[in-house]
Amino acid sequence: TMSLREHALSLFRGALDTVRPGPMLKRALKLQGNGCPQLLVKGQAFPVKRNLYLVGFGKAVLGMATAAEEILGDHLTRGIINVPLGIQESLQRAGMQEMLLKPHSKIQVIEGGKNNLPDAEALKGAVAIQELAEGLTADDLLLVLISGGGSALLPAPIPPILLEEKEKLTKMLASQGAAIQELNIVRKTLSVLKGGGLAQLAHPAQVVSLILSDVIGDPLDIIASGPTAPSSHSVQDCLQILTKYNLLHNLPKSVEMVLSSSPTKPTAPENYSHVSNIILGSNTVALEEAKRQAEGLGYAALLLSAAVQGEVGRVATLYCQLIQLVCLGFTSLGAGPLSDELRGNLLQLAAELQIPGLDLEEFLQALRGLGPDRPVCILAGGESTVQLQGTGKGGRNQELVLRVGLGLHKAQARGASSPQGRCEILFLSGGTDGQDGPTEAAGAFCSPGLVAEALQEGLDVEAFLRNNDSYTFFSQFQGGHHLLVTGLTGTNVMDIQAILIRAM
């Protein structure tokens, strides 16, 4: 029989493969018919006659564009994509030729956005995309490829605002403690292409956006700052934010000019009738594939949520308590006082974490109905946050795994009441982009024996956690055997967690 570890790895890879740019586009995009060819996008049909243009921006867009060009062939007239600095070389080095454009491609690649910050190169790309969009007619079809990281790669401040001025304002807001949502509203308001700007410039051409989401809940106007989606915000919202952080009175002249002459209402949604926004890949799509595969391996598989968020320690506690509860279900203790206490704790935690769309009552009900004989697989995704206290090296997935390992160890140490003794347990957490923090690992996995085994090797898990040094711990522990290493994946739909449990 395969080990839980092998199962977990295979589920993670399956989830990844389903949101890799190539396979994802090939499933969603079809060209059909000879007389009057049509582009089929997830069942919607668009007529094409060699009048097809393509633009794109984001971290996963190069692979998406390569697959799109292969599908579209001669129908593609011209394309421009803006991708992160150095990505072609990285993919080349990683041997991922399938994500690179062919030598005589009709798609021009501009690399910019060093360290995920807008820069002169990204601006050059944004201007080229803007010019292409402005030149389109009612007979044209514009295919827009969007993925996470697209915001930094599409900076085009409304003239006369300079990129430096917009950046300085954003930095000032950030240093005053503005939330990312607030920063995005201000950026969008001062931007030519964001907040639906690109779609408006491309009018009257038909616009079809294919989106790989790296944002919880997949909100169209937030992913890459929503260049093809109606903005739900107005200039008033931007002014309110600037007022809140006392920045209204030392704005650059150019910003004042733009704000005073901007329309006060956002563009009406009916002005987007020429646009189709289609989410091709997301955390949910990846989790559903992992669930399908888990069922194929004989697990009773449940999806917890694709929107798990919150401080990493609290999220770890949530997972530890879920694991305890499942183990109780495997023993005859499934309906005792300990089980009620765990249930109560879980409901309280879930309420505190405010995970969107999670009905934990319903989830626990489904868990109860599983019966003790089948192994259980619980899948979840999203993005937790780490409050840095130390100077160590790690990422949020490795830290989450280490905290779950510690939680399971402590539960076991409480002695006889611990339900874990009769279960085999594995917990995995990994980033779908293959990079967890500034490390070469995507994440890690653990079982309840991790902390005790580490102590035998002279490694103190709590000391590593105090220093946010999870990567160093996993590198030293059992020769790095618990690290999850995928290499560059060319995609990103946030993080994925898997809990596998079977009776011993």
Side-chain angles (χ1 to χ4, degrees):
T1 59
M2 279 168 81
S3 68
L4 291 187
R5 173 201 158 109
E6 287 165 318
H7 282 171
L9 287 175
S10 127
L11 296 180
F12 187 74
R13 293 210 177 98
L16 260 186
D17 287 341
T18 200
V19 291
R20 282 188 201 267
M24 191 177 69
L25 258 112
K26 286 174 186 159
R27 278 197 312 273
L29 207 57
K30 306 257 186 295
L31 199 57
Q32 71 165 36
N34 300 332
C36 45
Q38 287 186 320
L39 185 63
L40 285 181
V41 189
K42 271 198 160 177
Q44 295 184 45
F46 303 94
V48 281
K49 22 183 184 327
R50 291 192 181 239
N51 52 351
L52 195 51
Y53 295 84
L54 179 149
V55 297
F57 28 88
K59 293 179 183 175
V61 156
L62 187 58
M64 290 167 80
T66 304
E69 184 162 34
E70 215 172 290
I71 296 162
L72 302 173
D74 285 343
H75 291 280
L76 181 65
T77 306
R78 182 172 159 234
I80 301 171
I81 57 172
N82 239 8
V83 294
L85 190 67
I87 191 163
Q88 294 179 96
E89 194 192 335
S90 303
L91 289 168
Q92 191 85 50
R93 264 208 316 269
M96 294 168 77
Q97 265 62 31
E98 74 279 5
M99 291 207 188
L100 294 166
L101 292 165
K102 303 280 177 288
H104 303 292
S105 167
K106 291 178 186 165
I107 299 172
Q108 176 192 356
V109 181
I110 297 172
E111 292 192 1
K114 190 179 177 181
N115 300 329
N116 206 19
L117 295 168
D119 54 17
E121 285 306 303
L123 179 59
K124 192 178 100 178
V127 169
I129 287 172
Q130 179 184 341
E131 287 169 353
L132 186 150
E134 284 170 338
L136 299 176
T137 68
D139 292 332
D140 297 324
L141 179 60
L142 178 65
L143 205 55
V144 184
L145 308 176
I146 301 177
S147 77
S151 196
L153 291 163
L154 202 65
I158 298 172
I161 302 174
L162 300 173
L163 186 60
E164 298 75 77
E165 294 176 318
K166 189 173 145 196
E167 275 316 280
K168 195 175 153 194
L169 181 59
T170 309
K171 281 202 182 96
M172 276 157 65
L173 275 167
S175 68
Q176 301 277 356
I180 182 72
Q181 288 81 355
E182 295 176 316
L183 293 176
N184 282 340
I185 291 171
V186 172
R187 275 190 204 135
K188 274 200 291 197
T189 310
L190 303 177
S191 189
V192 177
L193 298 170
K194 291 171 185 168
L198 177 60
Q200 292 306 316
L201 289 175
H203 185 269
Q206 176 79 49
V207 178
V208 179
S209 269
L210 306 180
I211 301 165
L212 181 64
S213 167
D214 68 334
V215 182
I216 280 181
D218 311 330
L220 291 172
D221 63 330
I222 304 287
I223 303 162
S225 299
T228 57
S231 174
S232 45
H233 303 104
S234 65
V235 172
Q236 289 340 100
D237 299 312
C238 177
L239 292 170
Q240 259 171 345
I241 293 164
L242 294 171
T243 307
K244 176 177 166 185
Y245 296 102
N246 295 323
L247 292 174
L248 253 194
H249 302 297
N250 52 2
L251 292 175
K253 281 278 169 284
S254 58
V255 173
E256 280 184 4
M257 272 175 65
V258 166
L259 287 175
S260 61
S261 62
S262 294
T264 48
K265 287 197 173 60
T267 311
E270 58 270 21
N271 294 356
Y272 288 82
S273 57
H274 63 299
V275 184
S276 299
N277 285 307
I278 299 166
I279 292 196
L280 288 194
S282 64
N283 195 273
T284 304
V285 169
L287 288 176
E288 278 166 356
E289 176 58 22
K291 179 176 191 268
R292 207 180 60 74
Q293 297 204 7
E295 285 164 349
L297 291 168
Y299 286 86
L302 292 174
L303 285 187
L304 179 68
S305 164
V308 175
Q309 53 187 15
E311 196 275 315
V312 69
R314 314 289 294 147
V315 174
T317 306
L318 180 82
Y319 288 136
C320 284
Q321 292 181 343
L322 266 177
I323 290 168
Q324 302 284 316
L325 201 58
V326 174
C327 288
L328 276 176
F330 277 139
T331 64
S332 54
L333 306 166
L338 182 57
S339 167
D340 295 340
E341 184 192 340
L342 274 170
R343 247 188 206 93
N345 289 349
L346 269 168
L347 289 167
Q348 194 184 333
L349 238 182
E352 280 172 33
L353 286 168
Q354 296 183 320
I355 295 166
L358 170 60
D359 184 343
L360 194 61
E361 281 280 9
E362 193 184 311
F363 181 82
L364 294 178
Q365 207 52 49
L367 207 50
R368 251 187 183 150
L370 290 182
D373 36 2
R374 275 177 78 189
V376 173
C377 169
I378 296 176
L379 294 157
E383 213 159 85
S384 59
T385 43
V386 177
Q387 304 287 319
L388 286 179
Q389 269 129 13
T391 54
K393 190 175 183 188
R396 58 177 180 261
N397 288 286
Q398 294 162 78
E399 174 135 351
L400 177 60
V401 171
L402 200 47
R403 286 184 182 278
V404 168
L406 183 61
L408 294 176
H409 172 75
K410 286 184 168 168
Q412 217 155 10
R414 288 186 209 114
S417 69
S418 169
Q420 284 163 214
R422 313 182 198 178
C423 288
E424 202 187 339
I425 300 163
L426 187 121
F427 177 76
L428 171 146
S429 184
T432 52
D433 59 356
Q435 288 173 299
D436 185 36
T439 76
E440 96 262 306
F445 44 87
C446 72
S447 44
L450 174 95
V451 175
E453 289 164 31
L455 283 169
Q456 287 172 344
E457 289 188 30
L459 299 171
D460 174 0
V461 167
E462 298 198 51
F464 281 98
L465 279 170
R466 274 195 299 277
N467 194 28
N468 297 113
D469 206 10
S470 53
Y471 176 72
T472 308
F473 169 83
F474 282 115
S475 305
Q476 291 176 4
F477 177 61
Q478 296 183 353
H481 182 65
H482 286 67
L483 281 171
L484 173 65
V485 182
T486 58
L488 255 187
T489 64
T491 188
N492 180 19
V493 294
M494 301 184 290
D495 304 336
I496 286 177
Q497 282 93 42
I499 297 171
L500 303 187
I501 303 176
R502 60 183 175 198
M504 268 153 88

